[in-house]
Amino acid sequence: ENILEVKDLHYTYTDGTHALKGVTLDIKQGMTTAVLGGNGAGKSTLFLSLNGTLKPTAGKVLFKGLQLDYSRKGLRDLRKSVGIVFQDPDSQLFSASVLQDISFGPINMKLPEEEVRKRVNAAMDRIGISHLKDKPTHCLSFGQKKRVAIAGVLAMEPEVLVLDEPTAGLDPMGVSEIMKLLRKIQKDLGLSVVISTHDIDIVPLYCDYAYVMDQGRIVLEGTPKEVFAHR
Ligand code: ADP
Ligand code: ADP
């Protein structure tokens, strides 16, 4: 039931920054796992390690029990299964329209046109942005852009959806809307969801399990109840 396992992961950037110092964690199938921690704790580095973008300096990452394959083909396959939504939607959106943006991933996967259309429509529908499909992404609100970025990753039909700070920059209404939406998608699709956040309020409401990171290490883990009992 672990879809991803991280074992004693170390990552050192080329400038010598030791961003991950022996991180061990499990991502359970069909659950929402939160990774909490302040700026610089190592959350982004961890997430980029989950889909093979960063290759560990030491330790390992397993997807469905198998160690990640860092060959070109291995990485291409992995990125279909583990989709990442970055914190800043502008870094992820670059096509002329919402429809084109969401189609980018499935087209890149070389799926037949009909399948692309089906997936894109399903993703827009699920995220509630079908009415925006012909809009240029640059004229959307920040919250709408976030949704487009999520739909674009969903259209690739990943098994794990990893979101870096999905609630950052949203007002309280936007936060609860996006978290409820993610929860619904997780349940409907049996998706495994991983989010990073520094917003502790959302954890007991929308997450099943939490890891707290500090300076490249996991310093606390448990159900939201267990984790917050320590505060
Ligand atoms: P113990 O080791 O005491 O048996 P665990 O820490 O394995 O307990 O699990 C406690 C509860 O948290 C269980 O319900 C388990 O399914 C759940 N759990 C453990 N790890 C995770 C995780 N990474 N994601 C979601 N739920 C988890
Ligand atoms: P978080 O996402 O929790 O803010 P990061 O993973 O971005 O943490 O950063 C962890 C540490 O790695 C920080 O000290 C950060 O400055 C450093 N770091 C992040 N990206 C790079 C990079 N490209 N080169 C060098 N150091 C980096």
Side-chain angles (χ1 to χ4, degrees):
E1 49 165 342
N2 286 331
I3 190 147
L4 281 167
E5 291 161 77
V6 173
K7 295 192 191 291
D8 197 21
L9 192 71
H10 288 256
Y11 190 83
T12 306
Y13 285 100
T14 46
D15 69 352
T17 306
H18 198 176
L20 299 178
K21 303 172 183 167
V23 169
T24 296
L25 56 79
D26 296 330
I27 304 301
K28 302 267 184 218
Q29 164 73 45
M31 301 222 186
T32 297
T33 303
V35 180
L36 289 151
N39 270 339
K43 304 181 298 294
S44 306
T45 306
L46 171 68
F47 282 8
L48 291 173
S49 306
L50 294 179
N51 82 340
T53 301
L54 297 179
K55 189 176 179 180
T57 313
K60 56 190 174 185
V61 180
L62 295 90
F63 175 68
K64 293 184 168 172
L66 294 176
Q67 202 168 334
L68 300 195
D69 165 6
Y70 293 93
S71 70
R72 257 179 101 116
K73 167 150 193 340
L75 290 177
R76 193 163 358 98
D77 288 346
L78 182 67
R79 284 172 198 157
K80 290 177 201 163
S81 304
V82 182
I84 296 200
V85 180
F86 295 106
Q87 179 171 348
D88 175 12
D90 286 324
S91 71
Q92 206 150 5
L93 306 177
F94 41 79
S95 303
S97 73
V98 167
L99 185 72
Q100 284 173 10
D101 243 313
I102 301 173
S103 306
F104 181 82
I107 289 174
N108 202 36
M109 285 164 72
K110 304 201 165 37
L111 295 167
E113 212 174 306
E114 186 51 39
E115 178 68 15
V116 171
R117 195 166 24 239
K118 205 185 90 202
R119 287 185 178 205
V120 170
N121 285 332
M124 286 193 301
D125 203 29
R126 236 170 236 299
I127 303 294
I129 52 170
S130 301
H131 61 293
L132 300 175
K133 73 178 192 306
D134 297 319
K135 296 243 187 242
T137 41
H138 66 81
C139 77
L140 302 179
S141 72
F142 182 75
Q144 287 171 333
K145 284 181 186 176
K146 281 235 163 191
R147 286 171 185 251
V148 174
I150 296 171
V153 174
L154 271 189
M156 293 191 274
E157 299 191 350
E159 294 179 67
V160 186
L161 183 62
V162 179
L163 305 107
D164 199 358
E165 297 279 358
T167 64
L170 299 177
D171 61 23
M173 272 292 284
V175 170
S176 78
E177 277 175 17
I178 206 91
M179 290 311 300
K180 282 186 182 136
L181 187 62
L182 289 173
R183 205 61 168 154
K184 182 169 185 330
I185 294 167
Q186 177 223 305
K187 296 229 156 77
D188 289 351
L189 298 175
L191 203 65
S192 309
V193 176
V194 187
I195 68 164
S196 71
T197 185
H198 51 250
D199 182 355
I200 57 174
D201 294 338
I202 65 174
V203 178
L205 293 172
Y206 306 108
C207 302
D208 301 301
Y209 202 78
Y211 290 93
V212 182
M213 282 187 83
D214 185 37
Q215 296 183 46
R217 292 190 171 88
I218 304 288
V219 293
L220 195 60
E221 68 165 279
T223 60
K225 240 190 191 143
E226 290 164 351
V227 166
F228 292 111
H230 288 81
R231 290 182 178 259

